[in-house]
């Protein structure tokens, strides 16, 4: 798949943790040698050298290169297994009854870099030395803390330096994708970063993806209230400076009321494991963003944002079908006709179920449908069983299906041949009913590892947000903010919270029209 060059750049910011917040990952990256460290030492006096051993990679990472696969003698790429053992299971055996046996040893997973399997450029990462990424104290917990970071010249100049380094290399800058946590202090950092981007790169697209953890318990009141405050402040402030903002989560609610996590019919995943949840959200994000990343696409980041955010609707929801429920031998018209009047998507924005709501605009991407299955093969003289079966291309089939479901809704659809690759280090949490290509079989198959899957995603401006944002504002309004003086002391004033509640109500009103309509 070919992508538009320099469409965006993502700059990682990580809280410090002494020592080794990056674990086995070098802070200066692994693509280039450090000239300063490699240079000969000119000092002629007495010299004392202190050497610290590089932290070893956890066992899960040590065999990733070999586990990704090898080219066999017949020219077919085959997935290899991890070395057998009680800690690292074989990835090619049948799906066990206990899905937790398919995860890396949790004791060896400390920070986000333990999941990383790519080389980072030295200019693509910033370390926040002021806060710890883990532990009971010194964490980046509040919106005000994150917001104040980019008011400090040190961090502001460092971020601007990295941005300019990549922007100057762009031959066509569409805009920026910003991924940040909404539930902690990174929501404030993200809000300030989007404000900076809007000021310096006016007219460019800014698409922000606000990440939220999965289910939570009522036994941690301070953590839950901080999450509520940070989420509300983040959504309002990021929406003010972004072209579009979309919450991403496997949880069921933005508010304080616990809701069960979302489910995928053909996956056995553990929502409490970042290893699993990050893989699912990354799969959805990779597919959702295809429309403005493909060279062959006529849609830019700005055009997509304009289509979805008209009338002030700058908050959108995401959904995904992972994998898209297709069966061998069935055409795309056959598969879509079986779904009836709904799109088979699991909601990924913690806004509740979309049933009983109306869409105003949507972007739909379906990938991994073979060319031979995109249309129905009708014999000459035979009447098509439905309008979908009469379509002459896969793109027409998908567009016609969306038009049938939601007449009058502004829709953009994209159909891709290439599926999503799920070889290691992707988690092995697939149902045993899936074959090697991720297609659904009638019975249990012989245990071949799933290597690719078809995926369907939606990005939608929906009246569902009238309910979700309204409830979030209502929960904030019912709280006595004076009880949480520690949060207000971190740089947020009570007037800011009251203004946020009003802005949430205003945002919710943008989605009111047609709230009672059924799709």
């Amino acid at each position: 798949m070919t992508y538009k060059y320099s469409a965006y750049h993502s700059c990682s910011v990580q809280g410090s943790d002494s020592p080794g917040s990056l674990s086995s990952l070098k802070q200066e990256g692994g693509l280039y040698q450090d000239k300063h460290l490699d240079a000969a030492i000119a000092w002629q006096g007495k010299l004392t050298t202190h050497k610290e051993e590089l932290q070893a990679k956890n066992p899960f990472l040590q065999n990733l290169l070999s586990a990704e696969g090898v080219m066999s003698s017949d020219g077919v790429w085959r997935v290899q297994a991890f070395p057998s053992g009680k800690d690292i299971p074989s990835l090619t055996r049948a799906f066990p009854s206990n899905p937790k046996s398919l995860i890396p040893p949790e004791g060896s997973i400390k920070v986000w870099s333990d999941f990383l399997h790519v080389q980072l450029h030295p200019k693509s990462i910033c370390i926040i030395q002021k806060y710890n990424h883990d532990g009971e104290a010194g964490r980046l917990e509040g919106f005000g803390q994150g917001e104040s970071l980019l008011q400090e010249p040190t961090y502001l100049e460092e971020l601007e330096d990295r941005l300019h380094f990549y922007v100057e290399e762009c031959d066509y800058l569409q805009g920026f994708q910003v991924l940040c946590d909404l539930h902690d202090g990174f929501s404030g950092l993200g809000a300030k970063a989007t404000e900076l981007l809007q000021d310096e790169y006016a007219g460019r697209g800014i698409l922000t993806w606000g990440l939220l953890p999965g289910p939570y318990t009522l036994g941690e009141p301070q953590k839950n209230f901080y999450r509520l405050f940070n989420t509300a402040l983040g959504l309002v402030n990021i929406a003010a400076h972004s072209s579009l903002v979309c919450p991403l989560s496997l949880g069921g609610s933005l508010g304080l009321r616990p809701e069960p996590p979302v489910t995928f019919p053909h996956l056995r995943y553990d929502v409490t494991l970042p290893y699993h949840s990050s893989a699912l959200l990354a799969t959805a994000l990779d597919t959702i963003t295809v429309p403005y990343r493909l060279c062959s696409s006529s849609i830019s980041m700005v055009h997509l944002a304009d289509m979805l955010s008209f009338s002030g609707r700058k908050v959108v929801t995401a959904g995904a079908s992972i994998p898209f429920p297709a069966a061998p031998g069935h055409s795309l018209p056959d598969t879509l006709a079986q779904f009836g009047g709904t799109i088979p998507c699991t909601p990924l924005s913690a806004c509740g179920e979309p049933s009983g709501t109306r869409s105003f605009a949507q972007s739909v991407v379906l990938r991994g449908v073979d060319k031979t299955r995109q249309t129905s093969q009708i014999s000459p003289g035979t009447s098509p069983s439905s309008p979908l079966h009469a379509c002459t291309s896969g793109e027409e089939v998908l567009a016609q299906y969306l038009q049938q479901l939601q007449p009058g809704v502004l829709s953009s659809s994209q159909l891709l041949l290439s599926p999503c690759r799920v070889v290691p280090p992707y988690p092995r949490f697939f149902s045993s009913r899936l074959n090697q290509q991720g297609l659904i079989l009638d019975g249990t198959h012989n245990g071949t590892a799933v290597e690719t899957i078809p995926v369907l995603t939606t990005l939608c401006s929906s009246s569902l947000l009238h309910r979700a944002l309204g409830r979030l504002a209502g929960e904030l309004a019912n709280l006595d903010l004076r009880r949480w003086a520690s949060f207000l002391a971190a740089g947020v004033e009570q007037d800011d919270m009251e203004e946020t509640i009003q802005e949430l109500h205003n945002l919710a009103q943008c989605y009111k029209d047609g709230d009672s309509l059924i799709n």
Side-chain angles (χ1 to χ4, degrees):
M1 186 180 296
T2 304
Y3 299 103
K4 290 180 180 176
Y5 174 71
S6 299
Y8 66 89
H9 172 67
S10 176
C11 186
S12 302
V13 182
Q14 168 74 17
S16 172
D17 195 9
S18 55
S21 65
L22 296 179
S23 188
S24 57
L25 178 69
K26 295 195 298 181
Q27 180 173 343
E28 68 274 9
L31 291 180
Y32 308 100
Q33 296 294 321
D34 191 320
K35 295 180 180 179
H36 297 289
L37 294 178
D38 294 341
I41 299 175
W43 176 253
Q44 299 299 321
K46 187 177 179 180
L47 183 68
T48 302
T49 302
H50 297 273
K51 184 177 180 182
E52 181 179 349
E53 294 294 330
L54 180 68
Q55 186 170 343
K57 289 187 176 183
N58 66 72
F60 178 65
L61 289 178
Q62 290 176 1
N63 295 284
L64 282 183
L65 283 173
S66 61
E68 280 194 331
V70 294
M71 186 70 72
S72 61
S73 56
D74 57 1
V76 178
W77 186 268
R78 301 190 186 283
V79 176
Q80 291 184 337
F82 282 117
S84 297
K86 66 177 182 179
D87 287 333
I88 302 179
S90 170
L91 296 184
T92 56
R93 60 175 177 243
F95 203 99
S97 58
N98 178 16
K100 289 190 175 182
S101 66
L102 291 179
I103 63 175
E106 279 298 293
S108 67
I109 301 298
K110 300 296 183 184
V111 294
W112 64 272
S113 59
D114 283 334
F115 299 101
L116 197 64
H117 189 42
V118 296
Q119 297 292 326
L120 294 181
H121 191 282
K123 285 282 190 179
S124 66
I125 185 168
C126 303
I127 303 295
I128 300 175
Q129 302 290 352
K130 192 174 181 178
Y131 296 101
N132 296 327
H133 105 278
D134 204 354
E136 297 299 324
R139 303 187 64 177
L140 188 59
E141 295 180 301
F143 180 91
Q145 293 172 309
E147 191 178 38
S148 65
L149 278 173
L150 289 186
Q151 294 172 348
E152 298 181 19
T154 302
Y155 293 115
L156 179 60
E157 291 172 6
E158 187 175 4
L159 178 59
E160 288 179 332
D161 174 63
R162 279 151 172 72
L163 280 173
H164 295 158
F165 178 83
Y166 288 100
V167 168
E168 289 169 3
E169 290 188 348
C170 292
D171 53 359
Y172 170 50
L173 178 64
Q174 290 196 61
F176 302 87
Q177 287 197 149
V178 180
L179 282 77
C180 69
D181 291 336
L182 280 182
H183 64 285
D184 56 20
F186 279 98
S187 63
L189 183 60
K192 206 65 182 177
T194 53
E195 182 180 357
L196 170 68
L197 293 174
Q198 186 186 49
D199 290 342
E200 290 205 19
Y201 304 97
R204 306 296 183 182
I206 303 173
L207 268 59
T208 304
W209 310 90
L211 302 167
L212 290 158
Y216 55 92
T217 62
L218 293 176
E220 301 175 299
Q222 177 169 322
K223 186 176 180 180
N224 291 334
F225 283 111
Y226 272 39
R227 181 185 58 82
L228 181 71
F229 297 149
N230 290 325
T231 300
L233 285 162
L235 279 176
V236 168
N237 286 275
I238 290 174
H241 304 297
S242 299
S243 309
L244 213 61
V245 57
C246 178
L248 286 177
S249 175
L250 299 179
S253 169
L254 293 174
L256 290 174
R257 182 183 303 172
E259 298 287 348
V262 299
T263 59
F264 295 85
H266 303 288
L267 301 181
R268 300 177 181 179
Y269 81 100
D270 187 340
V271 72
T272 64
L273 296 178
Y275 174 50
H276 286 189
S277 57
S278 61
L280 288 171
L281 294 180
T283 299
L285 186 60
D286 182 63
T287 304
I288 286 173
T289 57
V290 157
Y292 54 83
R293 292 193 293 121
L294 279 177
C295 285
S296 58
S297 176
S298 60
I299 300 177
S300 70
M301 184 184 288
V302 174
H303 291 155
L304 180 65
D306 288 344
M307 182 190 79
L308 295 172
S309 65
F310 66 92
S311 299
R313 302 183 183 112
K314 297 178 73 173
V315 182
V316 293
T317 61
S321 181
I322 306 175
F324 177 68
H330 287 206
S331 68
L332 180 59
D334 294 335
T335 303
L336 294 176
Q338 294 174 1
F339 299 147
T342 59
I343 299 178
C345 270
T346 298
L348 296 179
S349 293
C351 293
E353 287 294 331
S355 58
T357 60
R358 175 194 173 194
S359 296
F360 302 108
Q362 62 183 352
S363 171
V364 178
V365 179
L366 175 59
R367 65 188 298 182
V369 179
D370 187 77
K371 191 73 173 178
T372 59
R373 297 189 295 113
Q374 291 185 4
T375 58
S376 180
Q377 305 300 320
I378 303 176
S379 303
T382 304
S383 299
S385 57
S386 73
L388 295 180
H389 291 80
C391 296
T392 58
S393 69
E395 291 80 3
E396 186 182 352
V397 170
L398 185 57
Q400 177 76 17
Y401 176 69
L402 297 175
Q403 179 63 25
Q404 288 180 2
L405 286 184
Q406 301 170 327
V409 173
L410 184 60
S411 297
S412 168
S413 58
Q414 193 112 14
L415 185 65
L416 305 179
L417 290 174
S418 59
C420 179
R421 286 178 57 81
V422 291
V423 296
Y426 203 90
R428 304 286 92 188
F429 48 30
F430 297 103
S431 164
S432 58
R433 291 186 60 197
L434 299 182
N435 68 6
Q436 196 171 25
Q437 290 75 42
L439 302 179
I440 301 172
L441 304 175
D442 292 334
T444 302
H445 73 106
N446 60 9
T448 303
V450 180
E451 296 186 12
T452 62
I453 56 172
V455 176
L456 183 141
T457 61
T458 64
L459 194 61
C460 185
S461 174
S462 166
S463 61
L464 172 66
L465 285 158
H466 176 245
R467 184 171 60 206
L469 296 176
R471 286 178 178 174
L472 185 61
E475 290 192 18
L476 274 177
N478 291 331
L479 294 177
D480 184 359
L481 298 178
R482 292 171 297 181
R483 292 183 55 193
W484 304 101
S486 59
F487 185 85
L488 298 177
V492 176
E493 298 181 359
Q494 186 159 346
D495 289 344
D496 296 328
M497 295 303 299
E498 293 174 357
E499 184 179 344
T500 296
I501 294 172
Q502 185 58 50
E503 288 298 325
L504 280 173
H505 280 301
N506 294 341
L507 267 176
Q509 290 301 311
C510 296
Y511 303 89
K512 184 176 181 180
D513 292 341
D515 186 48
S516 60
L517 298 180
I518 306 297
N519 280 341

